[in-house]
């Protein structure tokens, strides 16, 4: 078995479930210690850091480059994963099973595949004495799935020394292929992320016995506000990366692209259309609803949580629109993380292009905006330029976006091997 496949399988076997609790489950520490051991095996000096929350391990290693005057490049992966219910899966989610041409398990896509690929390349470089053109910082982080409070966010605030000289970074949800026509593959490079917000709507009413007449019911008032916001469609806004992506797909497929009707191009994207479509407008999706404590008591309070994603520059307008939609009698609490943006140009993008085309001559790179968020939101506070580039060549019929946090999460073995070759080439010329 190729080393990257073995590494991916072994990393998945660590149950690094992130429940959102500060204490964690201990799996992140074990996985981080495993990564540190694999790096130290080939001669790296590693730094292991915890935020103070037990079991939330972060590991760093630096490979010196040939030109110390250039800024360093960081390749970062998170080791935590979202929960998985084994009863819903075809295989155990923490088995790391290799079968049917895939490595299976929670985190295979989000995002232990890049952790395995970067670890395999880091080990190869050290064994073979490779000196990259600039310093490479390999980072393996905790707590991304809960906002990086005990990972990237804490490190940026408390250990900025670990990022000394880092000017650019690459990580997840980019570099994967999308087959847009027969034999025509676009590789999506993330150049932007929507802002993230968590919205709590709350109502108060008159409590009492469930058998009486009630005209001031907190639950019904909240339910009506939630239904209005859930049904609301925010305005379509074409940001530069989304416009460039849709224009690129139009060029590759021959389907005309009109800014007045981007749906025509979206229709050529298959399952990925859900992710790209979410980058055309703000979104607000209800995820939690809390009310009541007994079946015959009308409660005095009710609350709901919305996961909100805003296009760059839209947060203030988004909140104004939310207030107008939910109406009076509903209070809101709000916390958010900013969007991420960069341009699709420069020597780093040139190196990505060269590395991909060397392995897939038909490759075409396109920028896009991620509708979700990553640790890049924390790293941009240090002035680091962030791009999503975790290269994978995927089967045309694989619903890749459904595997993020999904059942039967898996990554193609061929994709891992391809991605490792691309990452190796990329880091030799970055």
């Amino acid at each position: 078995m190729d080393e990257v496949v073995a590494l991916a399988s072994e990393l998945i076997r660590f149950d690094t479930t992130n429940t959102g609790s500060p204490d964690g489950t201990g799996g992140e520490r074990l996985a981080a210690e495993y990564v540190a051991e694999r790096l130290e095996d080939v001669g790296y000096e590693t730094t292991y850091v915890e935020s103070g929350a037990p079991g939330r391990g972060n590991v760093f290693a630096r490979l010196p480059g040939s030109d110390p005057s250039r800024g360093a490049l960081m390749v970062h992966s998170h080791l935590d994963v979202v929960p998985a219910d084994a009863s819903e899966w075809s295989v155990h989610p923490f088995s790391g099973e290799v079968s049917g041409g895939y490595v299976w398990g929670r985190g295979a896509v989000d995002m232990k595949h890049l952790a395995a690929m970067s670890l395999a390349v880091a080990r190869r470089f050290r064994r073979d004495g490779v000196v990259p053109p600039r310093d490479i910082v390999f980072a393996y982080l905790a707590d991304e799935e809960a906002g990086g409070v005990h990972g990237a966010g804490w490190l940026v605030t408390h250990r900025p020394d670990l990022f000394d000289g880092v000017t650019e970074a690459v990580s997840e949800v980019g570099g994967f292929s999308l087959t847009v026509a027969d034999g025509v593959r676009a590789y999506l490079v993330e150049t932007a992320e929507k802002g993230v917000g968590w919205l709590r709507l709350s109502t108060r009413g008159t409590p009492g016995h469930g058998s009486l007449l009630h005209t001031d019911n907190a639950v019904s008032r909240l339910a009506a506000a939630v239904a209005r916001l859930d049904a609301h469609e925010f305005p379509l806004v074409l940001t530069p990366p989304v416009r460039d992506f849709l224009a690129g797909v139009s060029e590759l497929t021959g389907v005309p692209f009109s800014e007045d009707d981007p749906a025509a191009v979206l229709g050529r994207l298959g399952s990925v259309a859900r992710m790209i479509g979410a980058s055309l407008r703000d979104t607000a999706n209800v995820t939690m609803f809390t009310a009541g404590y007994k079946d015959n008591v009308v409660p005095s309070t009710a609350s709901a949580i919305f996961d909100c994603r805003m296009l760059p520059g839209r947060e203030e307008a988004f909140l104004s629109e939310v207030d107008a939609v939910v109406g009076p009698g509903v209070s809101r609490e709000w916390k958010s993380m900013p969007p991420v943006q960069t341009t699709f140009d420069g020597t780093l993008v040139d190196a990505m292009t060269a590395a991909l085309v060397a392995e897939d001559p038909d490759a075409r790179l396109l920028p896009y905006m991620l509708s979700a968020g990553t640790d890049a939101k924390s790293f941009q506070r240090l002035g680091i330029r962030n791009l999503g580039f975790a290269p994978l060549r995927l089967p045309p019929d694989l619903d890749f976006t459904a595997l993020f946090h999904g059942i039967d999460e898996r990554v193609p073995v061929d994709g891992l091997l391809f991605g490792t070759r691309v990452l190796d080439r990329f880091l030799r010329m970055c």
Side-chain angles (χ1 to χ4, degrees):
M1 184 185 299
D2 190 278
E3 181 175 49
V4 69
V5 178
L7 290 170
S9 176
E10 289 166 10
L11 283 167
I12 289 168
R13 290 176 203 161
F14 291 98
D15 182 349
T16 55
T17 299
N18 187 344
T19 63
S21 166
D23 294 339
T25 61
E28 286 167 285
R29 172 187 290 169
L30 295 175
E33 290 174 343
Y34 165 86
V35 168
E37 289 171 1
R38 298 288 81 75
L39 291 168
E40 291 165 2
D41 284 347
V42 294
Y44 282 96
E45 292 184 7
T46 65
T47 300
Y48 177 91
V49 185
E50 289 187 6
S51 67
R56 318 304 292 274
N58 303 271
V59 172
F60 290 79
R62 184 180 289 248
L63 181 63
S66 60
D67 185 354
S69 69
R70 292 189 60 194
L73 173 69
M74 178 168 61
V75 183
H76 61 95
S77 311
H78 65 83
L79 297 174
D80 63 319
V81 299
V82 296
D85 183 348
S87 68
E88 298 177 327
W89 285 57
S90 301
V91 303
H92 194 281
F94 297 104
S95 65
E97 180 176 315
V98 182
S99 64
Y102 288 86
V103 182
W104 298 69
R106 175 60 85 219
V109 167
D110 189 9
M111 62 167 298
K112 291 179 178 178
H113 75 288
L114 180 58
M117 292 194 298
S118 65
L119 187 54
V121 172
R123 284 167 56 84
R124 180 181 302 157
F125 278 15
R126 193 70 176 184
R127 285 193 303 260
D128 295 348
V130 173
V131 179
R134 61 199 290 195
D135 285 9
I136 306 295
V137 175
F138 296 98
Y140 304 86
L141 307 168
D143 200 39
E144 189 273 349
E145 296 292 358
V149 175
H150 302 292
W154 186 90
L155 292 161
V156 165
T157 300
H158 298 279
R159 291 297 306 272
D161 57 295
L162 294 169
F163 309 98
D164 282 349
V166 175
T167 57
E168 295 179 300
V170 295
S171 189
E172 60 180 326
V173 207
F176 59 92
S177 69
L178 169 65
T179 301
V180 296
D182 290 342
V184 179
R185 283 176 297 281
Y187 288 82
L188 281 60
V189 176
E190 183 213 313
T191 59
E193 296 178 6
K194 294 174 78 174
V196 178
W198 291 275
L199 172 70
R200 177 188 292 272
L201 298 181
S202 301
T203 54
R204 299 191 66 86
T206 303
H209 200 287
S211 66
L212 303 177
L213 295 175
H214 285 272
T215 58
D216 184 30
N217 190 310
V219 179
S220 61
R221 183 179 301 115
L222 179 66
V226 168
R228 288 194 297 272
L229 186 54
D230 182 69
H232 180 69
E233 185 173 78
F234 291 88
L236 186 150
V237 179
L238 277 179
T239 56
V242 176
R243 182 183 290 107
D244 291 346
F245 172 79
L246 294 175
V249 173
S250 174
E251 181 184 333
L252 291 173
T253 62
V255 176
F257 167 51
S258 167
E259 295 194 5
D260 296 326
D261 183 23
V265 176
L266 284 179
R268 303 287 299 186
L269 302 181
S271 60
V272 178
R274 289 175 296 172
M275 181 174 69
I276 301 300
S279 66
L280 292 173
R281 61 183 80 245
D282 303 333
T283 59
N285 290 306
V286 61
T287 55
M288 299 176 68
F289 196 109
T290 304
Y293 53 89
K294 197 172 187 298
D295 55 5
N296 63 349
V297 177
V298 174
S300 60
T301 62
S303 64
I305 304 293
F306 278 79
D307 181 304
C308 305
R309 310 291 165 133
M310 300 79 62
L311 296 171
R314 278 276 307 168
E315 183 169 338
E316 185 176 343
F318 172 84
L319 289 174
S320 295
E321 205 163 331
V322 166
D323 290 341
V325 171
V326 300
V330 182
S331 63
R332 67 166 166 85
E333 299 172 40
W334 177 253
K335 60 180 180 179
S336 64
M337 297 175 71
V340 176
Q341 294 185 87
T342 189
T343 53
F344 187 60
D345 56 18
T347 56
L348 199 64
V349 172
D350 292 342
M352 292 175 183
T353 303
L356 271 170
V357 170
E359 294 294 334
D360 182 357
D362 296 323
R364 167 74 182 272
L365 276 68
L366 295 178
Y368 88 106
M369 175 183 288
L370 178 64
S371 58
T374 72
D375 280 332
K377 295 189 182 303
S378 295
F379 295 135
Q380 72 174 352
R381 287 161 47 196
L382 295 175
I384 295 172
R385 180 193 187 205
N386 296 276
L387 291 147
F389 187 68
L392 290 172
R393 180 168 172 173
L394 301 170
D397 58 348
L398 180 65
D399 189 350
F400 185 60
T401 58
L403 299 178
F404 286 84
H405 298 186
I407 297 170
D408 284 344
E409 185 178 350
R410 60 198 184 276
V411 63
V413 169
D414 287 345
L416 274 177
L417 300 177
F418 173 88
T420 305
R421 294 193 303 270
V422 172
L423 190 63
D424 183 299
R425 289 180 181 273
F426 168 65
L427 295 181
R428 289 174 189 261
M429 64 178 79
C430 65

